[in-house]
């Protein structure tokens, strides 16, 4: 069903991109820049990697890097919009499957089928990932990080390599998210139960310092002062203030108003703010998620009470709060909020479902265990 939805999603996105937006959608723009990259590469012109004059934008990372991913997709699929969009969609789909697999391993007795269905059919998680986009790249990166960092593997080197690859993939298109991910990884190690001064924690701390430096460089911040951050927030808000769904506010939000940013990011658009079909889908979707929290409140509450005991739950909560505050302070467009909010959904759903036991599954596991025990005795 999820595969069919993603194929349909590509066809819908293709129609919206060309028939409604006239070919100006992000996926189409990335595709065309990918062709340009391939043309220069075929001419043995490697300035596309080293000369800022060839970058799409002012930085090597971020938007410019999407051209390289687009070039890879075009190499594999040919110059086909639908083909490259479908391949890109399944890159994001792979990230979601890795996240689900991690949850299944960490919580084998939970109702993971409910979580899987919710994650794989949620409109935002297939529509915004239905083309060549930063969303599909970040979803893959998050999947690699969560799977390799939170599942025990016999090959520790492979886990470290997988985690590093996921962080690098996230950094390539959204360096600012790297900082949020690293903080969300570090805090559970420092605040959770267990040794604080371990080799693993030291390695994470080093990664955090490197990631912080990369993020600062990408954001163009020369200092870590509150004033510097707030000036950057105002600049980003002005850059994002476009279209007909801009949130009207008299003054830009500051760090002291993080609670308002949190509400903007996690609850809007409100039903009375709906002004387009996209807004309507987003409003219904966010109401549906809070309906799930309401109907599964006891399990959700148990997840919050267990965050000190469970590092994945703590990471989920930290990521939701930090990312939502950052997004709410910079995203002033309701359409943009709906798009960048998709990364918090997997973490919200694990808080909803992780402590909800599937008793039929537990009974089946017990029956299999008893059968194996009898077979071993007979043997």
């Amino acid at each position: 069903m999820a595969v069919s939805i993603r194929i349909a999603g590509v066809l819908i996105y293709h129609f919206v991109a060309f028939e409604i937006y006239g070919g100006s959608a992000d996926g189409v723009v990335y595709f065309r820049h990918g062709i340009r990259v391939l043309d220069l590469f075929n001419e043995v012109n490697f300035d596309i990697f080293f000369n800022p004059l060839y970058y799409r934008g002012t930085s090597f990372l971020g938007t410019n890097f999407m051209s390289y991913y687009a070039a890879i997709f075009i190499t594999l699929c040919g110059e086909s919009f639908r083909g490259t969009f479908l391949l890109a969609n399944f890159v994001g789909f792979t990230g979601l499957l890795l996240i689900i697999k991690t949850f299944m391993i960490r919580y084998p007795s939970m109702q993971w089928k409910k979580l899987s269905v919710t994650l794989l059919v949620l409109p935002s998680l297939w529509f915004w990932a239905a083309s060549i986009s930063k969303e599909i790249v970040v979803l893959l990166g998050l999947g690699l990080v969560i799977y390799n960092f939170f599942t025990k593997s016999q090959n520790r080197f492979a886990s470290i390599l997988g985690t590093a690859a996921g962080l690098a993939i996230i950094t390539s298109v959204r360096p600012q998210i790297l900082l949020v991910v690293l903080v969300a990884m570090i805090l559970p190690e420092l605040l959770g139960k267990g040794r604080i001064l371990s080799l693993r924690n030291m390695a994470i701390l080093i990664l955090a310092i490197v990631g912080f430096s990369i993020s600062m460089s990408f954001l163009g911040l020369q200092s870590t002062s509150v004033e510097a951050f707030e000036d950057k927030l105002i600049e980003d808000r002005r850059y994002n203030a476009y279209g007909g769904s801009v949130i009207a506010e008299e003054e830009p939000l500051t760090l002291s108003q993080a609670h308002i940013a949190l509400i903007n990011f996690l609850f809007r658009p409100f039903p009375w703010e709906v002004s387009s079909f996209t807004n309507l889908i987003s409003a219904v979707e966010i109401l549906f998620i809070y309906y799930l929290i309401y109907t599964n409140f006891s399990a959700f509450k148990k997840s919050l009470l267990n965050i000190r005991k469970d590092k994945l739950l703590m990471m989920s909560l930290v990521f939701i709060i930090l990312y939502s505050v950052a997004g709410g302070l910079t995203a002033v467009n309701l359409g943009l909020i709906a798009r960048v909010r998709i990364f918090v959904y997997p973490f919200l759903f694990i808080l909803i479902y992780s402590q909800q036991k599937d008793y039929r599954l537990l009974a089946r596991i017990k029956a299999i265990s008893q059968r194996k025990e009898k077979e071993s005795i007979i043997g």
Side-chain angles (χ1 to χ4, degrees):
M1 181 174 65
V3 170
S4 300
I5 286 173
R6 272 150 182 79
I7 294 172
V10 167
L11 298 176
I12 293 170
Y13 184 90
H14 186 273
F15 174 81
V16 171
F18 286 96
E19 300 301 326
I20 297 178
Y21 293 121
S24 61
D26 286 348
V28 179
V29 175
Y30 293 144
F31 180 92
R32 289 171 177 157
H33 278 270
I35 292 177
R36 179 170 176 264
V37 167
L38 284 177
D39 290 340
L40 291 170
F41 190 77
N42 291 332
E43 295 171 5
V44 198
N45 184 346
F46 298 109
D47 285 346
I48 53 175
F49 301 112
F50 306 108
N51 190 341
L53 294 175
Y54 287 88
Y55 295 167
R56 183 173 179 263
T58 58
S59 174
F60 176 68
L61 300 176
T63 300
N64 173 67
F65 213 91
M66 284 304 303
S67 301
Y68 308 142
Y69 287 118
I72 294 172
F73 297 147
I74 294 168
T75 301
L76 295 173
C77 295
E79 295 186 18
S80 163
F81 282 109
R82 293 185 183 89
T84 53
F85 288 179
L86 188 60
L87 177 59
N89 198 320
F90 279 99
V91 168
F93 184 56
T94 301
L96 283 176
L97 291 179
L98 286 171
I99 292 171
I100 292 170
K101 183 66 175 178
T102 305
F103 295 160
M104 289 172 61
I105 294 172
R106 294 279 299 194
Y107 312 103
S109 62
M110 80 170 190
Q111 295 193 14
W112 56 267
K113 286 186 179 180
K114 283 186 178 180
L115 178 135
S116 302
V117 170
T118 309
L119 267 180
L120 295 179
V121 305
L122 198 72
S124 287
L125 284 169
W126 57 258
F127 178 76
W128 296 117
S131 70
I132 303 170
S133 66
K134 293 178 182 178
E135 284 70 35
I136 59 107
V137 177
V138 175
L139 283 175
L140 178 63
L142 280 175
L144 286 169
V145 169
I146 292 171
Y147 180 78
N148 287 282
F149 192 74
F150 287 104
T151 59
K152 292 182 180 179
S153 172
Q154 294 180 348
N155 191 334
R156 181 169 292 183
F157 177 75
S159 294
I160 294 173
L161 195 63
T163 303
L167 292 172
I169 288 171
I170 294 171
T171 306
S172 67
V173 296
R174 288 199 184 274
Q176 59 271 45
I177 295 183
L178 173 67
L179 188 59
V180 177
V181 173
L182 286 172
V183 173
M185 290 168 63
I186 292 167
L187 281 183
E189 298 294 330
L190 299 180
L191 302 179
K193 294 184 178 181
R195 289 186 305 165
I196 295 177
L197 296 176
S198 64
L199 181 62
R200 175 177 170 174
N201 289 355
M202 292 301 101
I204 296 170
L205 189 59
I206 293 170
L207 278 173
I209 294 171
V210 174
F212 184 76
S213 301
I214 293 172
S215 296
M216 290 281 288
S217 174
F218 177 80
L219 294 173
L221 293 172
Q222 303 301 319
S223 71
T224 57
S225 66
V226 174
E227 292 78 10
F229 275 104
E230 290 189 343
D231 288 343
K232 180 61 181 174
L233 288 175
I234 292 172
E235 179 186 336
D236 287 347
R237 288 172 69 84
R238 286 174 181 161
Y239 178 78
N240 292 325
Y242 59 87
S245 58
V246 174
I247 299 173
E249 289 169 347
E250 295 181 0
E251 296 291 336
L253 297 178
T254 62
L255 291 174
S256 63
Q257 296 170 298
H259 58 291
I260 299 176
L262 200 65
I263 292 172
N264 285 346
F265 196 83
L266 290 178
F267 291 91
R268 298 179 79 167
F270 299 122
W272 56 87
E273 293 179 312
V274 170
S275 59
S276 66
F277 183 72
T278 306
N279 283 168
L280 176 62
I281 296 296
S282 181
V284 171
E285 188 176 74
I286 200 69
L287 286 173
F288 170 71
I289 290 170
Y290 287 104
Y291 169 77
L292 290 179
I293 293 176
Y294 174 74
T295 55
N296 299 278
F297 187 73
S298 59
F300 182 75
K301 181 181 177 181
K302 191 179 293 185
S303 295
L304 296 180
L305 294 174
N306 287 333
I307 60 170
R308 282 292 306 277
K309 302 175 185 178
D310 192 312
K311 292 177 180 178
L312 181 52
L313 292 181
M314 185 181 288
M315 180 196 175
S316 299
L317 184 62
V318 171
F319 182 89
I320 290 169
I321 294 173
L322 288 182
Y323 183 73
S324 299
V325 169
L329 288 172
T330 56
V332 292
N333 182 303
L334 292 177
L336 183 61
I337 286 175
R339 181 170 183 170
V340 300
R341 186 167 54 202
I342 67 172
F343 305 127
V344 306
Y345 291 156
F347 299 107
L348 265 175
F349 292 142
I350 196 60
L351 292 176
I352 294 171
Y353 288 116
S354 66
Q355 305 302 309
Q356 195 176 86
K357 304 295 183 184
D358 186 339
Y359 293 104
R360 288 184 298 178
L361 177 62
L362 287 172
R364 193 157 63 245
I365 292 172
K366 184 178 180 181
I368 292 171
S369 176
Q370 289 175 344
R371 188 175 70 246
K372 287 184 177 179
E373 187 177 347
K374 288 180 181 179
E375 289 174 353
S376 63
I377 293 172
I378 293 172

